Amino acid sequence: AGVPAHTAEQYLARLLRQGFSVAVCDQTEDSSQAKGLVKREVTRVVTPGTVLEENLLDSHKPNRLIAILPGERSGDEPRRYGIATADLAAGTVFLQELEGESALRSEFARQSPSECLLPEDPPMPAGLRAPSILPDGLADTLAVSRLKPAAFSPREANERVVARFSEGGRNKPAAANLKALSKKLPLAFAASGALVGYIEETFAGGNVLLSPPQEFDPETFLCLGESAIRSLELVQTLRNGSLEGSLLWAIDRTCSGAGSRVLREWLIRPLRQLEPLRARHDAVERLVEDFDLRAAIRTQIKSLADLERIAARLAANKATPRDLIALKETLQLLPQLDAHLSGGVGMLAASGPLPETGAAAPSLIGEIRAQLSGYEDLGELIARHMKETCSNIITEGGLINDGIDKELDRLRSISTGGKEWIASFQAAEAARSGIASLKVGYNRVFGYFIEISRANSHLVPKDYERRQTLTNAERYTTPELKEREAEVLGADEKICKLEQTIFLRLRDDVARSAERLHATGRALAELDALCSLAEVAHKKGHVRPVMSNSGRLVFEQMRHPVLEETLPKGELVPNDIALAAPVNGNAAGNAKDASVPQILLLTGPNMAGKSTYIRATALCTILAQMGAFVPAEKAEVGIVDRIFTRVGAADDLAGGRSTFMVEMTEVAEILAGCSDRSLVILDEVGRGTSTYDGVSLAWSIVEHLHQGRCKPRTLFATHYHELSALEEELPRVKNASASVKEWQGEITFLHRIVPGPSERSFGIHVARLAGVPASVLERAKAILIALEEQNGGRISNVTDGGAQVSENAPAAPRRKKLKPTAQDGQLQLFDPDPQQIDPNVKIILDQLRTIDPHQMTPLDALTALDKLVKKAGGS
């Protein structure tokens, strides 16, 4: 393709970023032995999901390949999808089966695959198009490779997978496990067959470090759907899709790419099992307490190579000389890191007994330390063989130390001695010919030559043979020079070939430890992630959450973890939150939770902090269940199984869905998928339709969450103030509002959440802050006054307009009596109604308005004040 070999990786990176697959061809025979054209073959196909080269990967993100096999449609039932996911750098293959397009979208949001394998579309009659396997828009950001349907057949999958992972069936237990997995997850197992076949085809011989397929168990993780990942801005912002401003950006203080990948994985898949969660919290707590130890570990980690990816390249025979040098340097540093860990106060002690069993929990850092030892011989082997300053191209030589191979040492002595001979030859010939400027040179076309300027051509000895003519010089050779040239050049070529052979043999020896090195790399990455969480907790004053299986969710003085990072110190206002789901179906819960709501209805104006408050609650829950400390003074988290969010407005034009349709679809998924242990975040549900429809839907949704099959902990932010009446009808619903200060027509957002409802939304005030023209604002005020007078301060019954309501339905909500309006049409919170002012007070106010303090002397001001005081006192 006209690509220079030494810049091939630059071109590969550009092509892979655009989603292309690239065939790599190499010479497969020695050019010196070839007759005619040198034989070339495709030695590898590089695809976005199977790339292993460090320069072609983002060190901070996993690179995943996913295969999807859709099941047959059955009436109106949601389609089932079998999914097999491989991460070649991590060496893992996970299988799972999902129901419906929504679950598939959520899984794509969590995994962010680089490449997707799908079966080819079946043949269709002319003019018809096969239905799409993936939902619209899902494959826009990744490469899609189509395979023949036979690649996904159960029979072929069984043959491929069993042959690879059970030694052709000779390993009976492994073969039995795979057979059981194929029966439990038939679609996913068939997809894994296509996945394994694709990897074996793209890598010559299929030399890739992969563990046997295993079932992914979603019950061990807190489930985050696509909407939650997007709207909570866990890994990228909604504004421009960048990392900066996301939760990952706020907590990532890792010192290595591997650590950053692990932290990202923990964030997207938080835990929901107490024992591993406590192990992570124990490790973070100990690293927080021991600053010197944490600093020493972080300093060491900065000097370590990415063992996970080096191990993957070793297994695939893709490791370069620099990979081995980096591996050697890392292995030499591991004893120092092990010494730091063993010297930490209490670092290797087991955690306290678990409340459920009374048994001691294992130390996570102790488990990590166990992976760091036993590499002295391997590090010494590489150090003994490899030169520190070696080239990264194995065909150029300069890789192997002296004393490793006798033949190599002999050839080097010939090469070095030959060059010394040439230097002495030049001096001798200059003396013999009397040409002081004579020099011996070399180029790849003519080999070694003697160059003499034209001015000295009359002094050229008779035994010189002309080799090349230049403008101002002639080049010659002699029989003696040609003999030495053959000897030296032959030695150099043999040296390069022999060094390449020794390097490949060494790489194979090191590759035998690839699996163990991979496990050590994973342990180092987890240690880096733990140190990152501890660093953030220490610097930001985060606290360890109390984890339990209760239905409580309590954060005192909670702060938004991203705004805490971006706002100047002291500007972020902390708030309290307390929710409790019913325990074992008991509506009141236990005595401790009797006064704690299950549903918090949050009202108040825009810009006052409602969305920040509900998002902060979800983010702090995620932090707690990923093993991090949380930005609060106190935290208690009853394990959450799923977090649902309905936040923001977005349409789906390609799918033919309006903004309100998207909103209702998400609400339907929440109501169908939530459980008593879920956390539901609803922001402005029902605003995309008429006021009466919106209030009715919002009212009914709150009732369903309170009285339905499942009773999740819920935060419901709304501008429908009529919903505040639900507090009087539903025992586990409480009102809260964003506090605002109004003075002389201006408002100040206090960003404080307080008990009780808000009776105003201050929409016209917020519009003025946004720069809406004054004429529009004045007209809006007039319309507001007219609407308030027309409705008499209440909303019509939900049956208005002909809607039919059951006789057993709850009474329609009535809006609380509003405070009188001022002349500008805005509700008054702090100023009294002029009609209700006492006449004597009005006289004093009128007199105050006539006083101009800027025109008064101090004595005049005191005299006026004395008169006002006497009038107020009735004298």
Side-chain angles (χ1 to χ4, degrees), residues 19-350:
F20 289 103
S21 296
V22 184
V24 178
C25 301
D26 283 323
Q27 293 181 182
T28 55
E29 66 175 335
D30 190 339
S31 58
S32 63
Q33 305 295 324
K35 295 181 180 180
L37 292 177
V38 179
K39 186 178 180 181
R40 295 173 175 85
E41 292 180 354
V42 175
T43 56
R44 169 143 185 236
V45 178
V46 185
T47 73
T50 61
V51 62
L52 287 174
E53 287 78 1
E54 190 64 25
N55 294 338
L56 305 180
L57 292 171
D58 185 339
S59 63
H60 297 276
K61 293 182 180 178
N63 192 56
R64 294 192 176 103
L65 173 67
I66 187 170
I68 299 177
L69 179 60
E72 296 294 331
R73 290 188 180 275
S74 177
D76 295 332
E77 293 293 320
R79 174 176 260 183
R80 191 170 183 83
Y81 296 90
I83 298 177
T85 306
D87 185 338
L88 300 190
T92 56
V93 178
F94 284 105
L95 310 184
Q96 60 178 316
E97 294 188 1
L98 302 173
E99 294 278 356
E101 292 185 357
S102 176
L104 186 62
R105 287 183 180 274
S106 297
E107 191 60 26
F108 263 68
R110 286 188 287 268
Q111 294 199 26
S112 299
S114 300
E115 184 178 5
C116 179
L117 307 180
L118 299 174
E120 290 178 346
D121 291 331
M124 300 292 290
L128 294 180
R129 184 179 178 183
S132 176
I133 294 176
L134 295 180
D136 291 334
L138 200 59
D140 292 348
T141 59
L142 76 161
V144 176
S145 299
R146 296 280 188 164
L147 306 181
K148 293 184 180 298
F152 288 85
S153 71
R155 179 178 178 180
E156 184 166 332
N158 188 68
E159 291 176 356
R160 282 187 182 274
V161 175
V162 170
R164 180 177 181 91
F165 297 108
S166 66
E167 303 173 7
R170 291 187 296 275
N171 187 333
K172 300 296 183 181
N177 291 338
L178 292 172
K179 184 177 181 180
L181 193 59
S182 68
K183 291 183 177 180
K184 184 176 182 181
L185 302 172
L187 289 175
F189 195 82
S192 73
L195 187 78
V196 170
Y198 186 75
I199 292 171
E200 290 177 345
E201 289 175 6
T202 52
F203 287 89
N207 295 321
V208 183
L209 183 65
L210 280 180
S211 58
Q214 53 187 306
E215 180 183 3
F216 175 80
D217 184 7
E219 296 299 317
T220 61
F221 300 98
L222 188 163
C223 182
L224 297 168
E226 179 195 18
S227 176
I229 294 172
R230 184 186 69 252
S231 60
L232 295 176
E233 300 181 306
L234 297 186
V235 294
Q236 63 182 26
T237 61
L238 288 170
R239 183 178 63 259
N240 54 16
S242 67
L243 173 66
E244 184 174 352
S246 66
L247 179 60
L248 179 60
W249 169 80
I251 65 171
D252 190 352
R253 298 295 182 273
T254 54
C255 300
S256 68
S260 185
R261 295 196 302 271
V262 166
L263 194 68
R264 183 189 186 96
E265 179 184 328
W266 287 356
L267 175 61
I268 292 297
R269 294 197 188 277
L271 299 172
R272 67 180 190 190
Q273 294 182 325
L274 286 177
E275 185 174 335
L277 257 179
R278 288 196 180 109
R280 280 190 196 170
H281 284 140
D282 287 342
V284 173
E285 184 174 41
R286 292 167 183 175
L287 290 167
V288 169
E289 293 171 350
D290 197 331
F291 173 84
D292 292 335
L293 175 63
R294 186 173 76 250
I297 293 173
R298 285 169 60 81
T299 300
Q300 288 288 123
I301 288 176
K302 290 177 182 177
S303 303
L304 303 180
D306 192 335
L307 292 190
E308 264 194 321
R309 289 188 169 174
I310 289 178
R313 289 195 288 276
L314 280 169
N317 295 327
K318 298 295 179 184
T320 65
R322 288 178 190 167
D323 282 335
L324 262 61
I325 294 297
L327 175 60
K328 180 261 298 182
E329 293 172 349
T330 295
L331 297 182
Q332 290 176 340
L333 290 173
L334 290 185
Q336 300 177 35
L337 184 58
D338 182 63
H340 286 307
L341 292 177
S342 62
V345 178
M347 292 301 293
L348 299 181

